[in-house]
Structures are given as C-alpha cells and as structure tokens.
Amino acid sequence: AQTVTQSQPEMSVQEAETVTLSCTYDTSESDYYLFWYKQPPSRQMILVIRQEAYKQQNATENRFSVNFQKAAKSFSLKISDSQLGDAAMYFCAYTKSGGSNYKLTFGKGTLLTVNP
Amino acid sequence: GAVVSQHPSWVICKSGTSVKIECRSLDFQATTMFWYRQFPKQSLMLMATSNEGSKATYEQGVEKDKFLINHASLTLSTLTVTSAHPEDSSFYICSASSPRYNEQFFGPGTRLTVL
C-alpha cells in the first residue's frame, strides 16, 4: 500500500524568509502524481503544486517549488519569500497515474506558522 | 476553474437523527466523487469513492449502513449520516474529479455537530 510521511508536525518561518517542508512516500508504482495542498483556517483545500513522476524537472508555481527525488521517494516543498497568508496546514499527497479518479493518499500534515 | 460546493456548511442535529450533506460540481461533470472525514488537527481520511450511477466503494472500517452515499448524477453526490451520534461529529469534505482534469477539486467542507 502507498504511504505518505510528513515528519515535521510544525514548522515556523519569518516573513520574507524561505522554508522547506519535507515529504517522503512509498510506492511500487512507476508512474504517479504528487501534490502539495494548503489548508488555511477556513479549511478549504487548495492545490499548491503538482508533480508528475515521469517528469524529471521540478515543478514550480511562483514562490512555491518542489525538490522531487524519485529514487529517494522524496518530495519537499520550498516556499520562498514567505508571506503571512502562507500560514496554514500543508498536506503532501500521492495518487497513482491514470487520471484523477484514483484516490489520494495524504500525509499527516505540517502546520506552518509565519512570524511577522 | 472547477468549483465544488457543499451544503450545508454547518449543521447541528440531535442524537439519533439523520443528516444529509450535498456535494455539487458547479461547472463540470464529475464522474467520480470522494468523501473525506477530518478530525481537528488531523489529516483527511477517505471514507468512500463514488462513481456516477454505481454503488460507492467504502474504505475499510467505514460503516456502509451508517454513511450512505448516493451519486445519482454527474453533478451531485450526497452523504447521509444515519442515526447520528456525538462520535460522528466531525468535518466532512467532498471532492470531485473527471477524466478532463488531473486533480481533484475540493468542496469547502461541512461541519457536523451531533448533540
């Protein structure tokens, strides 16, 4: 079975600084998708960034980027120039490839605090 | 973008009553919908996967008779918590997807409080 592990229950960062959230996963599949979701206090799940396993290039979305190490099964999220609005719970998630009709496996989450 | 709504956003009910939560995809046809449960400060736990027109597939440990899921159309899925008890109090989130997209779109969630 696939598992997703987030080893940092809580992280904090100073506004305008950079922070990296860790995620490791376990799967026997060769093709899959990895995601980082943000859940602010409103509890609405927001997709931050997505990585297809077959792509070697790391995904980036403005201030958000990932370090995808397929062999190590590692998928970390880097947030640059942190803003107060980045404060939220962040979940790493995995799904096997073949379409979005496959279920997501979530990590336990990392609570990010941004200090002014 | 794809939008998913949930109704109600918050419901309070008495123990022993049944509660229905609706999940709608507003601007796309959702072939698959997922129902999650989330306890405070915890991750999302998948309860079941439903495909339009067929029976839902429940995750291990989720009571089918307790949590009734119906996906009667490509834009609507419902979760009915039957004979609710205080331990059913939680935050319930749905998501929807289709072959057109490579992601699930999440609803805003429903907070259920059972007295």
Side-chain angles (χ1 to χ4, degrees):
Chain A
Q2 294 81 14
T3 59
V4 177
T5 302
Q6 292 179 249
S7 59
Q8 306 155 316
E10 297 185 21
M11 291 283 284
S12 64
V13 63
Q14 290 296 125
E15 195 175 4
E17 297 293 307
T18 296
V19 65
T20 298
L21 308 184
S22 301
C23 173
T24 58
Y25 60 94
D26 188 25
T27 182
S28 57
E29 302 283 339
S30 60
D31 201 10
Y32 47 87
Y33 289 88
L34 296 164
F35 305 85
W36 277 99
Y37 284 92
K38 170 185 178 181
Q39 188 180 40
S42 68
R43 304 189 79 170
Q44 172 73 58
M45 294 289 284
I46 301 167
L47 178 63
V48 175
I49 201 165
R50 170 177 55 214
Q51 175 79 44
E52 290 93 336
Y54 68 88
K55 290 186 177 179
Q56 293 185 343
Q57 187 172 7
N58 289 326
T60 62
E61 287 288 342
N62 300 311
R63 298 183 294 107
F64 300 87
S65 62
V66 298
N67 183 3
F68 173 49
Q69 302 289 327
K70 191 172 183 179
K73 295 181 180 175
S74 171
F75 182 62
S76 61
L77 174 70
K78 186 171 80 171
I79 305 174
S80 304
D81 186 25
S82 297
Q83 300 176 0
L84 294 177
D86 295 333
M89 181 72 85
Y90 286 82
F91 293 102
C92 178
Y94 161 100
T95 189
K96 65 178 181 179
S97 186
S100 58
N101 295 342
Y102 291 111
K103 62 184 182 181
L104 286 166
T105 300
F106 286 94
K108 291 188 175 181
T110 296
L111 180 62
L112 178 66
T113 302
V114 181
N115 301 310
Chain B
V3 180
V4 175
S5 70
Q6 275 185 248
H7 178 80
S9 57
W10 195 354
V11 58
I12 302 174
C13 69
K14 292 182 179 180
S15 186
T17 61
S18 295
V19 174
K20 181 183 287 187
I21 302 170
E22 293 186 347
C23 176
R24 293 182 184 272
S25 55
L26 300 184
D27 52 2
F28 72 103
Q29 294 185 323
T31 51
T32 304
M33 287 186 169
F34 304 84
W35 286 95
Y36 298 87
R37 184 173 182 177
Q38 186 180 32
F39 291 105
K41 298 185 178 180
Q42 293 190 22
S43 188
L44 281 70
M45 181 190 78
L46 180 66
M47 300 174 66
T49 303
S50 74
N51 292 295
E52 185 265 338
S54 61
K55 290 184 178 180
T57 300
Y58 290 80
E59 294 298 301
Q60 191 172 10
V62 178
E63 298 175 60
K64 300 178 183 180
D65 297 331
K66 174 75 169 177
F67 300 99
L68 300 179
I69 292 172
N70 182 278
H71 191 167
S73 78
L74 287 172
T75 59
L76 173 65
S77 177
T78 59
L79 167 67
T80 301
V81 183
T82 62
S83 186
H85 291 284
E87 58 265 30
D88 299 323
S89 298
S90 189
F91 193 68
Y92 293 88
I93 303 174
C94 74
S95 71
S97 69
S98 78
R100 176 181 174 187
Y101 301 103
N102 287 323
E103 63 179 281
Q104 294 180 22
F105 299 95
F106 286 84
T110 297
R111 183 189 303 270
L112 170 63
T113 301
V114 184
L115 303 176

